[in-house]
Amino acid sequence: MLLGALSAVVAAAFVARIVHLRTKCTPHGLGTTTWIYWPTQTCMALAGILALLNTVLRLWYGDGTPAAILGYLSVGIAWIIALALNDDEHRYTVRSSDLIFSFYVLCLSSLLLILLPSADLQSVDNSQHKITLAMAPIVSLSVKRTITVDDIQNQLPGFMRTVPSYEALETRWRRNVEDSCPPSKKKRASLFKTILRVNAKGIIPILLFRTIQPSLLFSIPAILSLFLEYLQDQGTEREKSPAYGYLLAGALFGAASIRAIMQAVSRQYSIQLSLKTKVALTSMIYRKALRLSPGSKNKSTTGEIMNHMSVDADVWTEGLYFLSMWISLPVEVGTAMWLRWSFLAGIAALLAMTPMQVYRARVYNSMIKDRMSVMDERIRLTTEVFAASKVVKLYCWEAAFRKKILEIRERELVVLKRLGVIYSIMSIIFTSSTLIISLLTLSAYALWGGEGFSRGKLTPQTVFVSMTLFGMLKTPIGALAEATSETLATIVGTERIERFLLLEEIKESDVIRERSVPEDPSVPVVSIQDGTFSWVKSETSPSVDETVDEAQPLLSEMDEDSTPTKCRPTLENINLSIANKSLNAIVGRVGQGKSSLLSAIIGEMYKVQGEAHTRGRIAYVPQHAWILNCSLRDNILFGKPYEQERYQRIVHACGLEPDIAMLPAGDLTEIGERGINLSGGQKQRVSLARAAYDDADIYLLDDPLSAVDAHVDRHLWRNLIGPEGLLQGKARILVTHGIHHLRETDTVVMVRDGRIAEHGTYANLMAAKKMFYVLIKEYALKHRRHFESGDTPAAVATTTASGTERSEADAGSETASQAESETGYDDDQSSSDAMDTAEGNLEVAASHAEPKISMRIGDQKRKVNGKIIGEENIKEGSVGFGPALAYIRASSYKYAAMVLGFHILAQIALVATNLWLKYWIKRSNESSSLNGDHPTPSMTLFLSVFALLTVIYVAMYITVIYIGFALARIRASKTIHYDLLSRILRLPSSFFDTTPLGRIINRISGDVQVIDDALPWAFDNMAMFSVSVTTSLITVSVTTPLFIGALPLFLIAVMVIQHYYLYSSCAVKRIFHVLKSPIFQHFNETLGGVPTIRAMRSQNRFITENVARVDAHTNAHVTYLYCIRWVEVRLQCLSAVVILLVTIAFVTTRDTIDPATAGLALSFILTVTQDVSYLVRTYCDMQNRLVAVERVCEYIDLPTEAPERLSLLDASQQWPPKQGKIVFENYSARYREGLDLVLKDVSFEVQAGESIGIVGRTGAGKSSLTLAIFRMIEAANSYWARASDPSSLGSEVVGRNNEELQSGGRILIDDVDISTLGLVDLRQALAIIPQDPILFAGSVRDNLDPFLEQSDHSLWEALDRAHLKTYIQSLPGGMSFEVAQNGENFSVGQRSLICLARALLRKTKILVLDEATSAVDVETDELIQKTIRTEFKDRTILTIAHRIKTVMDSDKILVLEQGHVVEYDSPSVLLQRRDESLFYRLAEQAGEV
């Protein structure tokens, strides 16, 4: 404000002075002093334009106080008036005005005060960061200690935040889409044009900056021309005073300094505007993913959507900066042409290369699209494999999937290599063009540059000013390669996002939703009239894209040779009415459409016809529980406020009290991704608790009881779902495979072949004696007394704590076993005593009217850290040379040496051209001074040598780019990706339990992409600038000895600036990478639960979370940009100081210095100062890029599982096993070193061919036992248990002997100690049907036989025995039918049957069934059990099941409790022990005795 007031006063004084000169003085008629007049006029004009531009921008954006706006306006007006005053001063007086000089000093001082950084980081306001260059507090802090996330808070300007950025772009995009919707318009909406229109206000100042910069850039060679002319005139009649030389030196300094600041401001603002676009696109992609229709979901897999966010949106990080280059480059070239007409010859050469550039752009665009497509495929498959890492390891499929991923990667590298070849060819334009232009330009000038197109005289002024021009053009022309690449990548990425955003969205109007429940009880809360629904649009035929969940009956009546018919709608002629507060059951066989009916109600399917209406808020419990990576309490609250009383009632009703008691930190324990530390039953009950806490009006429950045991089932029924449960006042629609609760429901709906076959009360349906009656009579349990007599709540609560609920997940056993000692169980007690203790505790809890979680447990647990997902490691200090050496080693030392060597040869050729020009000038001058006595040098010789050196330079650069980008880069990328993928696949399962999938994918996608694309350029630029700076420093030092004295000071200053910048930028870059992983993680997590989010109308909460994570990441990115601008301005200003010192030195020694030597030195010094700046930035940029290698190496260096192949067998031992005998000898195991044991001194023996049923409570160790057989966990304290522990990294693991191997006991299979086997040898000899039926994207054949080892006959036979042959034959392509991601186009039951077929194909002697039939109906379960009894009769079978009936016909029952074996005998013997037997009590509760 003060400066503005002073400017107004000065402007008035200027006007008064103009009036005085024009009225009181007479023009002297001597003209103007050119070397003073034009530089001063130019500087004043720029100052006025910038001040007025700032005023316009602040008015446009509504930013700044009125005082500030008026201040800038006053300054601008003052400088414009100063132009007129300066002109009058030169016309009427002999020099410029003292008043103007005083105003200049005033403005300069004020500018320096404004740019001074604030000492207090916390006081920095967001608005000051729009075009700020002050990062001193953060940079200084980074040297004292490592910067943390808290240190860089509030750096993000308001206009860059996600919400305003998204709203601006989304509003315009929606309008454009609507305008292009009419059929008459053939053109679709363009996202690229929309982005440009939205950012038009911001792009205008960028373009203004871009057009002004060339005048500053090329004012330097203009001033240099005057300076060399000044040196040449020494000793002649045109000799000028030293003051003139000093003034030119100051002008060079001023032009270089102003250019540096303007360039930094321009780049910062353009990149900030680009980031604004990026965050808007990221938010649009996220929100679009929440609105995709069923068909659109098929077209965009999770991996592809993640790629849109991580790769396609990321191209806009600097998009507008590179786009603006297409404005600045013509201006820069045009300015150069205006300064030197002979430059037209070089431009003609550049234009001659345009067709090659056009061809290159077309080819490059095609290659980028190919690469993005291949990258999508790679990321999708990699994500699937890592998400299902446990199943991959159990099936021993690591090699098969590694091969598939590497084949895709090989295709990606082929594209990268072709791009490298294109780069090498086009280096003629982008790297060598300046030397080619200089050859043609100087040749043209030498041949026709004189009067009348005679030969021109090559003087130092002519040659070295031209060379300086060419050197300055080297940067923009060289940047043309990057600008072209980035522009094409931006266009391609935007088009991919555009196609995604134009995908069909789910139609909210398909289901009429009312938020309130009708007061009239006769009005149904859910009604469907004549409804027909499909997972694919009715006009489309079935294809590999279909996601028909339960679309067709499992066992249809087709012949094997019949051809598949056209796919009909999944649900047809649905008429359904659900009354308020009613309990409704939906039953039917696997694949009949039960789950689809719920999906139709929540609007997840296409409505072909009819009407669907819901009245009231909906809570949805999917068949596969969707669990968030947060605390158990937050999973239940789901964004709702915590109400302790309601929360405790719901926890009790869902039977979660004992589970919470077992968790290390109670309900504050962190739940891993996909609920990894919860059992299947626990996950389902958490999902039920979430729905109950939502307090909705309508509850859609998709078979939640299949995941729990009979006693837990009864507890949930009585306390939550049933007529007397917590939800009794709500409308409930329950999909179930059980039939024992149906008589207590209000209505039963039987679905068959996508139609409602029967609908009515239980009594009416039984009286009708149709299909429902047959189902009940044939498959009802023989013993119903425990479900009909009415157990007491206490007894039911007891069974919750002591039953055989669906087996624990890996980490679930881990956490549960750690806490068992705190829940009242004593290792010395017998199992019955433990049961009594648990029973007593729960009876007390149940006796309260309002059940509560034990506060004793809660208080204790709160003090325990419940996190299992550790914070991502952020290293401190600089990156160091380790990652650089790792990258060079991956690319090969040979290629690295060749790249450096060819760079040196190219630089030698470049220096030789300048020396040759100097020599030629000297020869020409000598010839002219001797007046013909000395022969005139041959022009042919001059041009021939010049052309030869240029050809050598061009050839060197073509070679170096080819080696660097077509050979070295490909080898490095291939090696690093192979090592990373192979190591992650070989990491122990505990790594995947404690590491979020998003964090892993960030390494395999984001970091690998940096290694593929950015790092090779960083290394190449580092080599080029290092060689260039070295040769330039040598040249300048030789030609200007005075520079040697200043050189150490210059280098010290550079090193100090680099030191500060490197510490801050590396720290911020690491934070930047770490804050990126949560975005991936949250995005991936959201995509897995879209139906639940939409059904419960929680989109806004998840969008808010996404916005917060994106803003945090963008805040780190902006801080990193500030660091770059900090070093950029300081290095450029330091370079300007060096130019000032050298020019002053030349003025001081003007009588002795050779003008040609001075021209050569100044030409190099102008280049070297710029190159030093680029060198420091490139070095720091390389260090920051190496963070990606550092992060990748962090995973590569992690310890792996035991070797895949390891043969320590005696000659008498045979493998694979021929009998299947299993012996556990005092076996103990834990999930990770440092945790409590989950199996403790387990000893038992399984004879060959026996069938063993394994039962026990949650956390007892059932799944842990089976995992031990597969060596997913190792014997405690064994060599491999310690060797695979990350804490052992860097320390030697000793004790590889028999005693150490047996320290935690051992497992023998056919008398072979499995710890002496390689993991592949072991796991290939075993078969398992896992708890979670997981399918992978690919064909059905690939899912059955990824190694392609089986014949078609064997595959069809396995499918036949699994009761799937007929259904698979009905699909388009049969076994070639493409399975959707996660098997979404198969029902859960069908996926289980495919897993059964896998087990049938593996002719092993040992089979493990881990809850194999939990997701199928009783009829299909009966068929599966029959198959198992007949097909596996000669195998040893270990079965974990929550249905006691499933294991009743086993040869023996193994009962586990707290990791110990408490019972092991035949079922008949254990049942005879009655109350003394834990197994008897479990069977009694299940109604089997």
Side-chain angles (χ1 to χ4, degrees):
M1 183 176 68
L2 180 61
L3 178 61
L6 292 174
S7 299
V9 174
V10 170
F14 285 170
V15 172
R17 175 65 175 169
I18 291 172
V19 173
H20 171 76
L21 289 173
R22 293 183 180 182
T23 58
K24 303 294 183 182
C25 300
T26 303
H28 51 64
L30 300 177
T32 60
T33 308
T34 303
W35 55 272
I36 295 177
Y37 178 79
W38 286 112
T40 55
Q41 289 290 86
T42 301
C43 290
M44 287 188 291
L46 285 175
I49 291 172
L50 289 176
L52 294 176
L53 180 62
N54 204 331
T55 304
V56 173
L57 290 178
R58 289 178 178 273
L59 287 171
W60 196 308
Y61 288 107
D63 177 45
T65 61
I69 295 174
L70 289 174
Y72 281 110
L73 179 62
S74 300
V75 172
I77 293 173
W79 277 120
I80 297 300
I81 297 173
L83 285 172
L85 175 60
N86 190 50
D87 181 68
D88 285 350
E89 291 283 2
H90 279 267
R91 288 171 56 200
Y92 292 99
T93 66
V94 293
R95 63 183 181 85
S96 293
S97 171
D98 292 335
L99 186 60
I100 295 177
F101 178 75
S102 301
F103 185 55
Y104 169 77
V105 173
L106 174 66
C107 289
L108 183 62
S109 302
S110 302
L111 179 64
L112 292 175
L113 288 174
I114 292 172
L115 290 178
L116 282 176
S118 172
D120 183 11
L121 178 65
Q122 300 300 325
S123 65
V124 179
D125 184 73
N126 282 345
S127 62
Q128 297 173 356
H129 280 301
K130 288 190 175 181
I131 314 180
T132 185
L133 303 175
M135 278 295 291
I138 291 179
V139 174
S140 301
L141 182 65
S142 67
V143 179
K144 299 175 184 177
R145 63 173 176 82
T146 302
I147 294 175
T148 64
V149 176
D150 295 334
D151 295 324
I152 62 172
Q153 292 297 324
N154 303 320
Q155 302 296 317
L156 185 64
F159 80 100
M160 289 181 62
R161 294 190 176 276
T162 302
V163 173
S165 303
Y166 162 79
E167 289 175 349
L169 185 57
E170 174 69 11
T171 302
R172 179 62 69 89
W173 170 246
R174 286 282 180 187
R175 191 185 310 150
N176 290 349
V177 171
E178 291 170 2
D179 292 343
S180 63
C181 279
S184 58
K185 295 194 176 183
K186 297 181 180 180
K187 290 185 178 180
R188 68 182 185 187
S190 171
L191 180 61
F192 187 80
K193 292 179 181 178
T194 303
I195 292 171
L196 295 182
R197 290 193 187 102
V198 168
N199 293 302
K201 292 183 179 180
I203 293 174
I204 291 174
I206 294 175
L207 298 181
L208 289 175
F209 275 121
R210 283 293 196 176
T211 53
I212 294 172
Q213 281 181 34
S215 62
L216 286 171
L217 175 66
F218 293 108
S219 65
I220 295 175
I223 299 171
L224 177 62
S225 177
L226 294 174
F227 187 80
L228 291 178
E229 182 182 3
Y230 162 75
L231 293 179
Q232 282 181 298
D233 289 343
Q234 294 302 312
T236 67
E237 60 182 13
R238 297 193 305 273
E239 181 178 350
K240 298 180 179 67
S241 67
Y244 178 72
Y246 292 130
L247 182 61
L248 291 177
L252 276 172
F253 169 75
S257 299
I258 295 173
R259 171 180 169 269
I261 295 174
M262 182 175 286
Q263 183 179 7
V265 171
S266 171
R267 181 158 187 166
Q268 178 72 16
Y269 184 69
S270 61
I271 296 179
Q272 285 187 349
L273 202 61
S274 300
L275 281 177
K276 175 177 177 287
T277 302
K278 174 192 168 183
V279 299
L281 289 173
T282 301
S283 188
M284 289 175 70
I285 293 168
Y286 183 85
R287 297 173 196 229
K288 180 71 177 184
L290 293 174
R291 302 193 299 264
L292 290 179
S293 68
S296 298
K297 284 183 180 179
N298 282 335
K299 297 176 183 177
S300 294
T301 63
T302 299
E304 290 172 345
I305 297 174
M306 297 276 283
N307 243 12
H308 289 318
M309 180 197 68
S310 63
V311 178
D312 297 331
D314 204 54
V315 298
W316 277 98
T317 300
E318 296 183 342
L320 290 175
Y321 173 75
F322 288 110
L323 288 172
S324 64
M325 280 187 177
W326 298 104
I327 300 297
S328 63
L329 187 60
V331 175
E332 291 174 358
V333 173
T335 306
M337 289 172 58
W338 177 74
L339 290 172
R340 191 69 66 191
W341 71 265
S342 57
F343 191 67
L344 285 170
I347 297 301
L350 195 60
L351 292 176
M353 300 178 188
T354 302
M356 186 186 299
Q357 168 66 1
V358 173
Y359 172 75
R360 181 250 187 195
R362 187 167 63 250
V363 173
Y364 188 88
N365 189 32
S366 174
M367 289 181 182
I368 288 293
K369 289 181 179 179
D370 292 343
R371 189 201 171 185
M372 290 295 102
S373 177
V374 176
M375 187 186 296
D376 283 344
E377 187 179 353
R378 174 172 64 87
I379 299 301
R380 190 240 342 133
L381 181 58
T382 305
T383 303
E384 272 195 294
V385 171
F386 290 162
S389 59
K390 178 182 174 182
V391 172
V392 171
K393 289 179 179 295
L394 288 172
Y395 283 124
C396 200
W397 282 355
E398 296 99 323
F401 281 112
R402 179 171 59 229
K403 181 181 178 183
K404 290 182 70 173
I405 294 172
L406 290 177
E407 286 175 351
I408 299 172
R409 175 65 171 172
E410 192 63 35
R411 286 159 45 202
E412 186 180 355
L413 292 178
V414 167
V415 178
L416 280 178
K417 185 170 184 176
R418 289 165 56 196
L419 287 172
V421 174
I422 294 292
Y423 290 151
S424 65
I425 297 173
M426 299 310 296
S427 64
I428 298 173
I429 296 179
F430 303 126
T431 308
S432 310
S433 57
T434 52
L435 199 56
I436 295 174
I437 291 171
S438 66
L439 169 64
L440 297 176
T441 301
L442 292 177
S443 298
Y445 184 83
L447 294 173
W448 305 293
E451 293 183 5
F453 291 99
S454 61
R455 288 193 175 187
K457 182 181 179 181
L458 295 176
T459 64
Q461 179 186 6
T462 303
V463 171
F464 293 111
V465 169
S466 298
M467 294 303 291
T468 303
L469 271 173
F470 303 145
M472 290 182 171
L473 278 175
K474 180 180 179 180
T475 300
I477 293 178
L480 185 60
E482 191 176 8
T484 304
S485 303
E486 293 295 330
T487 300
L488 290 173
T490 301
I491 293 173
V492 171
T494 307
E495 288 177 350
R496 284 161 51 84
I497 296 175
E498 177 186 297
R499 285 195 294 271
F500 175 72
L501 294 179
L502 289 173
L503 287 176
E504 180 186 48
E505 296 183 4
I506 198 164
K507 290 183 64 175
E508 295 289 339
S509 59
D510 279 355
V511 177
I512 302 173
R513 296 178 176 88
E514 296 180 17
R515 297 289 291 176
S516 58
V517 177
E519 295 181 0
D520 185 355
S522 64
V523 178
V525 292
V526 176
S527 62
I528 301 177
Q529 296 179 359
D530 301 323
T532 298
F533 303 89
S534 177
W535 286 108
V536 293
K537 279 201 167 183
S538 57
E539 65 269 22
T540 60
S541 59
S543 67
V544 296
D545 288 348
E546 294 177 5
T547 52
V548 185
D549 185 18
E550 304 181 336
Q552 299 197 23
L554 177 64
L555 305 174
S556 61
E557 302 298 328
M558 288 181 60
D559 296 331
E560 294 181 9
D561 299 328
S562 62
T563 57
T565 58
K566 183 177 179 180
C567 183
R568 60 181 177 81
T570 308
L571 299 172
E572 294 182 286
N573 301 323
I574 302 297
N575 287 281
L576 183 66
S577 179
I578 303 298
N580 189 23
K581 302 181 181 181
S582 65
L583 176 56
N584 310 269
I586 300 177
V587 297
R589 295 194 55 194
V590 169
Q592 302 296 297
K594 304 183 299 298
S595 296
S596 294
L597 182 55
L598 296 190
S599 296
I601 293 173
I602 61 177
E604 289 294 314
M605 299 179 68
Y606 290 108
K607 185 181 73 173
V608 180
Q609 66 179 31
E611 182 178 296
H613 206 136
T614 63
R615 300 172 179 87
R617 293 174 52 250
I618 293 177
Y620 175 57
V621 178
Q623 187 171 10
H624 263 292
W626 176 59
I627 303 297
L628 299 171
N629 178 207
C630 55
S631 71
L632 186 142
R633 177 185 292 181
D634 288 337
N635 265 283
I636 295 174
L637 297 181
F638 204 56
K640 300 286 184 181
Y642 176 67
E643 298 177 16
Q644 183 174 354
E645 183 179 345
R646 178 158 68 107
Y647 177 82
Q648 290 176 346
R649 282 202 307 269
I650 290 170
V651 166
H652 171 75
C654 295
L656 284 169
E657 289 174 317
D659 305 287
I660 291 175
M662 289 192 297
L663 294 173
D667 63 347
L668 299 180
T669 299
E670 181 184 21
I671 307 304
E673 279 195 315
R674 304 177 303 281
I676 196 68
N677 53 334
L678 296 178
S679 71
Q682 287 170 331
K683 285 188 281 189
Q684 200 60 266
R685 285 183 283 127
V686 169
S687 185
L688 282 167
R690 174 196 300 154
Y693 196 85
D694 191 61
D695 194 25
D697 305 307
I698 305 167
Y699 283 82
L700 308 181
L701 312 176
D702 193 354
D703 201 18
L705 302 179
S706 66
V708 300
D709 302 312
H711 51 282
V712 182
D713 174 309
R714 195 61 188 171
H715 176 84
L716 291 173
W717 185 261
R718 291 202 169 191
N719 292 275
L720 183 69
I721 301 172
E724 305 299 326
L726 198 64
L727 302 179
Q728 59 181 303
K730 313 289 185 179
R732 290 141 290 164
I733 304 177
L734 172 68
V735 171
T736 181
H737 286 136
I739 56 179
H740 46 279
H741 295 307
L742 298 182
R743 65 174 60 244
E744 299 180 63
T745 62
D746 296 316
T747 61
V748 177
V749 178
M750 187 167 186
V751 180
R752 181 177 177 84
D753 293 343
R755 294 179 172 87
I756 295 180
E758 294 185 75
H759 181 199
T761 65
Y762 180 87
N764 291 340
L765 294 182
M766 290 297 291
K769 294 187 177 182
K770 295 182 180 178
M771 287 185 293
F772 180 77
Y773 174 82
V774 173
L775 177 69
I776 297 298
K777 285 299 181 182
E778 186 172 354
Y779 293 103
L781 296 176
K782 297 178 180 178
H783 308 284
R784 295 192 183 90
R785 59 189 178 86
H786 292 280
F787 295 104
E788 297 174 356
S789 62
D791 299 335
T792 64
V796 175
T798 302
T799 64
T800 304
S802 60
T804 59
E805 184 179 316
R806 193 178 185 188
S807 61
E808 73 284 354
D810 302 351
S813 299
E814 163 195 320
T815 54
S817 62
Q818 293 178 57
E820 283 177 339
S821 60
E822 302 178 24
T823 59
Y825 304 131
D826 193 332
D827 291 347
D828 297 332
Q829 289 179 315
S830 66
S831 59
S832 60
D833 290 336
M835 288 282 296
D836 293 339
T837 305
E839 189 174 326
N841 287 342
L842 288 171
E843 282 174 353
V844 173
S847 65
H848 289 75
E850 295 181 355
K852 289 186 178 182
I853 302 171
S854 171
M855 294 310 296
R856 176 184 65 82
I857 294 175
D859 292 341
Q860 290 177 352
K861 300 301 183 184
R862 279 176 210 278
K863 300 176 183 178
V864 181
N865 180 12
K867 293 183 70 65
I868 64 168
I869 305 296
E871 296 293 334
E872 190 165 5
N873 182 35
I874 303 179
K875 295 191 176 182
E876 300 181 359
S878 61
V879 176
F881 292 103
L885 288 175
Y887 184 80
I888 293 172
R889 186 165 54 248
S891 65
S892 89
Y893 293 114
K894 178 182 71 174
Y895 288 145
M898 290 174 67
V899 168
L900 184 61
F902 280 110
H903 268 301
I904 293 173
L905 292 176
Q907 193 64 30
I908 290 173
L910 180 62
V911 173
T913 58
N914 286 275
L915 294 175
W916 176 250
L917 287 171
K918 178 186 175 184
Y919 168 76
W920 193 261
I921 293 169
K922 183 178 179 182
R923 288 284 308 277
S924 298
N925 289 339
E926 289 175 353
S927 175
S928 300
S929 62
L930 294 175
N931 297 320
D933 294 338
H934 196 279
T936 302
S938 169
M939 186 60 64
T940 304
L941 176 63
F942 163 67
L943 296 178
S944 298
V945 174
F946 197 3
L948 177 63
L949 292 173
T950 301
V951 169
I952 292 173
Y953 180 82
V954 171
M956 292 301 100
Y957 258 104
I958 290 176
T959 305
V960 78
I961 296 297
Y962 178 78
I963 295 173
F965 290 87
L967 299 178
R969 174 175 72 160
I970 302 304
R971 190 179 190 278
S973 296
K974 183 176 183 178
T975 302
I976 291 174
H977 177 266
Y978 176 85
D979 291 345
L980 177 63
L981 177 65
S982 299
R983 182 54 60 106
I984 293 178
L985 287 173
R986 295 276 296 116
L987 291 175
S989 58
S990 59
F991 168 81
F992 296 95
D993 296 342
T994 58
T995 306
L997 180 61
R999 192 179 297 176
I1000 303 174
I1001 295 303
N1002 195 11
R1003 296 291 206 285
I1004 208 77
S1005 62
D1007 291 332
V1008 168
Q1009 188 183 11
V1010 170
I1011 293 170
D1012 287 348
D1013 297 333
L1015 196 56
W1017 285 110
F1019 269 94
D1020 183 74
N1021 290 336
M1022 182 67 190
M1024 180 178 67
F1025 287 123
S1026 298
V1027 173
S1028 175
V1029 168
T1030 302
T1031 54
S1032 297
L1033 288 176
I1034 293 173
T1035 304
V1036 175
S1037 299
V1038 170
T1039 56
T1040 313
L1042 288 176
F1043 182 72
I1044 299 176
L1047 182 59
L1049 297 176
F1050 174 70
L1051 294 178
I1052 289 172
V1054 169
M1055 291 176 65
V1056 170
I1057 294 174
Q1058 177 209 317
H1059 176 73
Y1060 274 78
Y1061 170 67
L1062 194 58
Y1063 269 88
S1064 60
S1065 62
C1066 282
V1068 175
K1069 192 70 171 180
R1070 288 187 178 116
I1071 294 173
F1072 167 82
H1073 280 290
V1074 168
L1075 291 178
K1076 194 173 186 178
S1077 296
I1079 300 176
F1080 282 93
Q1081 178 187 349
H1082 182 252
F1083 208 165
N1084 187 63
E1085 197 170 59
T1086 301
L1087 292 175
V1090 169
T1092 303
I1093 295 171
R1094 291 201 289 218
M1096 300 178 72
R1097 320 306 288 175
S1098 299
Q1099 295 97 318
N1100 289 338
R1101 185 168 66 84
F1102 279 83
I1103 289 171
T1104 301
E1105 177 65 21
N1106 173 258
V1107 166
R1109 298 189 184 209
V1110 171
D1111 280 346
H1113 177 252
T1114 310
N1115 181 77
H1117 198 155
V1118 169
T1119 307
Y1120 177 65
L1121 292 177
Y1122 292 152
C1123 291
I1124 294 177
R1125 300 290 87 78
W1126 182 91
V1127 71
E1128 182 180 333
V1129 170
R1130 279 154 182 79
L1131 286 174
Q1132 293 283 7
C1133 290
L1134 179 62
S1135 300
V1137 171
V1138 173
I1139 294 171
L1140 177 64
L1141 295 176
V1142 172
T1143 50
I1144 289 175
F1146 283 145
V1147 174
T1148 306
T1149 60
R1150 61 190 178 280
D1151 295 328
T1152 58
I1153 192 71
D1154 176 23
T1157 302
L1160 178 64
L1162 282 173
S1163 177
F1164 270 102
I1165 202 68
L1166 287 170
T1167 303
V1168 75
T1169 52
Q1170 187 174 5
D1171 284 354
V1172 166
S1173 173
Y1174 280 119
L1175 175 61
V1176 173
R1177 283 183 51 200
T1178 300
Y1179 173 73
C1180 297
D1181 181 61
M1182 184 186 72
Q1183 288 276 303
N1184 294 327
R1185 303 292 187 187
L1186 283 171
V1187 170
V1189 180
E1190 179 184 69
R1191 286 160 52 83
V1192 167
C1193 288
E1194 180 186 348
Y1195 278 16
I1196 292 177
D1197 293 337
L1198 290 174
T1200 65
E1201 296 178 300
E1204 293 180 333
R1205 304 286 181 181
L1206 179 67
S1207 181
L1208 299 177
L1209 300 180
D1210 296 335
S1212 60
Q1213 296 176 320
Q1214 291 186 348
W1215 193 263
K1218 303 297 183 182
Q1219 300 175 346
K1221 178 182 177 182
I1222 305 173
V1223 178
F1224 278 73
E1225 293 184 355
N1226 303 317
Y1227 187 83
S1228 299
R1230 56 172 60 91
Y1231 279 94
R1232 296 193 305 276
E1233 289 296 301
L1235 298 178
D1236 293 338
L1237 295 173
V1238 291
L1239 294 175
K1240 306 168 187 176
D1241 293 324
V1242 172
S1243 296
F1244 65 93
E1245 183 174 329
V1246 180
Q1247 297 299 323
E1250 281 189 330
S1251 175
I1252 307 298
I1254 304 173
V1255 298
R1257 72 177 69 202
T1258 297
K1262 304 185 298 295
S1263 285
S1264 301
L1265 192 74
T1266 60
L1267 294 178
I1269 297 176
F1270 284 83
R1271 287 182 65 189
M1272 297 288 284
I1273 56 176
E1274 298 281 356
N1277 303 320
S1278 66
Y1279 172 82
W1280 291 118
R1282 289 181 287 118
S1284 61
D1285 178 36
S1287 62
S1288 68
L1289 192 63
S1291 60
E1292 184 179 358
V1293 181
V1294 296
R1296 177 86 182 279
N1297 52 54
N1298 288 336
E1299 181 180 352
E1300 285 292 337
L1301 287 173
Q1302 298 175 17
S1303 59
R1306 61 177 184 167
I1307 301 173
L1308 303 176
I1309 297 179
D1310 282 4
D1311 298 325
V1312 174
D1313 186 346
I1314 64 173
S1315 64
T1316 63
L1317 299 169
L1319 295 182
V1320 171
D1321 297 325
L1322 171 65
R1323 292 169 183 171
Q1324 283 184 342
L1326 307 173
I1328 185 171
I1329 303 178
Q1331 180 174 335
D1332 295 320
I1334 293 177
L1335 303 184
F1336 300 93
S1339 67
V1340 174
R1341 180 191 300 276
D1342 291 338
N1343 274 275
L1344 292 172
D1345 180 30
F1347 289 98
L1348 304 178
E1349 297 174 337
Q1350 305 289 338
S1351 65
D1352 282 2
H1353 176 74
S1354 299
L1355 295 176
W1356 282 118
E1357 186 178 9
L1359 289 171
D1360 187 31
R1361 294 176 179 176
H1363 308 283
L1364 266 180
K1365 180 179 180 180
T1366 306
Y1367 177 70
I1368 298 299
Q1369 285 179 327
S1370 70
L1371 298 174
M1375 282 194 296
S1376 299
F1377 178 78
E1378 286 293 318
V1379 178
Q1381 187 174 8
N1382 301 321
E1384 291 177 355
N1385 48 350
F1386 288 87
S1387 71
V1388 177
Q1390 289 166 337
R1391 295 176 218 169
S1392 298
L1393 296 180
I1394 291 178
C1395 291
L1396 173 62
R1398 287 174 183 165
L1400 289 164
L1401 286 168
R1402 302 189 79 161
K1403 308 299 182 181
T1404 62
K1405 299 302 295 184
I1406 298 173
L1407 172 66
V1408 177
L1409 305 176
D1410 191 357
E1411 311 281 1
T1413 61
S1414 61
V1416 299
D1417 58 277
V1418 290
E1419 183 180 357
T1420 306
D1421 186 14
E1422 192 77 23
L1423 291 172
I1424 292 174
Q1425 296 303 325
K1426 181 179 179 181
T1427 299
I1428 292 173
R1429 284 191 293 269
T1430 56
E1431 300 296 333
F1432 301 115
K1433 59 184 178 182
D1434 58 341
R1435 303 190 194 185
T1436 302
I1437 300 176
L1438 304 179
T1439 303
I1440 301 172
H1442 67 273
R1443 294 173 180 170
I1444 296 297
K1445 180 181 180 181
T1446 304
V1447 296
M1448 286 298 290
D1449 60 351
S1450 300
D1451 297 320
K1452 290 183 179 179
I1453 300 296
L1454 178 70
V1455 183
L1456 293 173
E1457 179 71 13
Q1458 300 182 41
H1460 293 281
V1461 175
V1462 294
E1463 291 180 326
Y1464 183 56
D1465 213 323
S1466 65
S1468 58
V1469 172
L1470 296 179
L1471 291 176
Q1472 289 174 3
R1473 298 175 184 173
R1474 300 185 68 81
D1475 293 341
E1476 296 179 0
S1477 170
L1478 176 59
F1479 177 70
Y1480 177 83
R1481 299 182 63 178
L1482 296 175
E1484 185 180 34
Q1485 292 158 9
E1488 294 298 325
V1489 294

